[in-house]
């Protein structure tokens, strides 16, 4: 019999968010694979959990994953924990889950705190359709492409960002998204928890030196209403561009609105020299 791989949530700030089940599983497994053993040690001490631990972070994950797999195959059970929240969400775990599934090992979630969903449910933005985008790429060019792709999605978007990169992130977001509603969820579940709501430019003015942990929740692109008889193609393209879209995206959105091909929009603009 193989062991079970548990993906175990831990609090994102408030220790009371640890679940009874998480404590029991962490006590019962043979091994805990932790992103930061020093940090997890504090948590384990607090809850009187004495299970052995192994370091499992981005730098050592390939070699450690192999060791964990061997122990699972030998019948031992292992719990993966990250520094905070759910493992495998912008944290190590994904590769190990894939390896375990391929090896026929049972993978079991131990749900609990998660920053993205906690921010979303308090954002006041549409929760019926959302996309978790995680951290934006590090280089400016890749970030721009990433934002451009996301700007056309008709669903609420959720990002993670470090405080020292937040201003830059919001400035570049505004360049691509124009004036969208956003919510900055700061220090969730902690003493200084707060939600800042408004347009991107308004929040940029409010945060001079961002401190703490942030989730950025962004209103999705509004669903394209079909064009009315009064609207004309040229004005609509210009309106989309004024809202922050580049010319190509503006033409694509206009084509959707008028239910015609992008080529047709292109030809019509070309015909007028615009
Ligand atoms: N696995 C975690 C989860 O399930 O939420 C996320 C880990 S990711 C490495 C860390 C990022 O999550 C932070 O940079 C921040 O964007 C967000 N985050 C984590 N804890 C938070 C908190 N208490 N308040 C706001 N954002 C938080």
């Amino acid at each position: 019999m193989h062991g079970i791989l548990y993906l175990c949530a831990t609090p994102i700030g408030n220790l009371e968010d640890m679940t009874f089940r998480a404590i029991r599983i962490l006590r019962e497994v043979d091994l805990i694979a932790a992103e930061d053993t020093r940090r997890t040690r504090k948590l384990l001490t607090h809850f009187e959990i004495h299970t052995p631990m192994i370091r499992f972070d981005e730098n050592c994950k390939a070699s450690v994953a192999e060791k964990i797999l061997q122990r699972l195959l030998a019948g031992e059970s292992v719990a993966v924990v990250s520094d905070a929240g759910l493992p495998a969400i912008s944290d190590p775990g994904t590769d190990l889950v894939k390896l375990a599934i391929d090896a026929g090992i049972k993978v079991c979630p131990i749900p609990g705190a998660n920053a993205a969903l906690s921010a979303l449910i308090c954002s006041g933005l549409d929760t019926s359709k959302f996309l978790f985008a995680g951290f934006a790429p590090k280089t400016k060019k890749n970030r721009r492409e990433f934002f451009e792709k996301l700007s056309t999605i008709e669903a609420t978007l959720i990002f993670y960002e470090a405080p020292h990169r937040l201003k830059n992130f919001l400035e570049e977001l505004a360049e691509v998204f124009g004036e969208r509603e956003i919510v900055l969820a700061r220090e969730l579940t902690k003493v200084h928890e707060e939600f800042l709501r408004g347009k991107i430019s308004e929040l940029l003015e409010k945060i001079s030196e961002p401190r703490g942990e942030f989730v950025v929740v962004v209103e999705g692109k509004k669903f394209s209403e079909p064009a009315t008889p009064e609207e004309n193609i040229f004005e609509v393209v210009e309106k989309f561009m004024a809202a922050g879209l580049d010319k190509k995206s503006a033409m694509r959105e206009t084509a959707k609105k008028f239910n015609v091909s992008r080529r047709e929009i292109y030809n019509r603009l070309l015909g007028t020299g615009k």
Side-chain angles (χ1 to χ4, degrees), residues 12 82 84-86 89-91 113-116 135 160-161 185-188 190 213-215:
I12 55 170
S82 65
L86 288 173
I89 298 292
S90 297
D91 267 334
N114 164 253
F135 287 99
Y160 285 160
E161 195 45 284
R186 178 175 168 265
E187 294 287 85
L188 288 162
K190 302 184 198 175
E213 296 195 278
F214 286 88
V215 178

Side-chain angles (χ1 to χ4, degrees), residues 213-259:
E213 296 195 278
F214 286 88
V215 178
V216 184
V217 190
V218 180
E219 178 187 34
K221 178 181 156 307
K222 294 242 168 39
F223 180 74
S224 285
E225 297 287 340
T228 60
E230 292 78 47
E231 285 181 303
N232 81 57
I233 283 176
F234 313 112
E235 280 169 14
V236 171
V237 171
E238 269 169 19
K239 222 152 77 187
F240 277 126
M241 288 176 71
L245 293 192
D246 59 28
K247 194 165 183 179
K248 205 167 133 199
S249 312
M251 289 201 293
R252 185 185 54 229
E253 292 310 311
T254 308
K256 265 201 227 165
K257 212 170 156 59
F258 283 85
N259 199 19

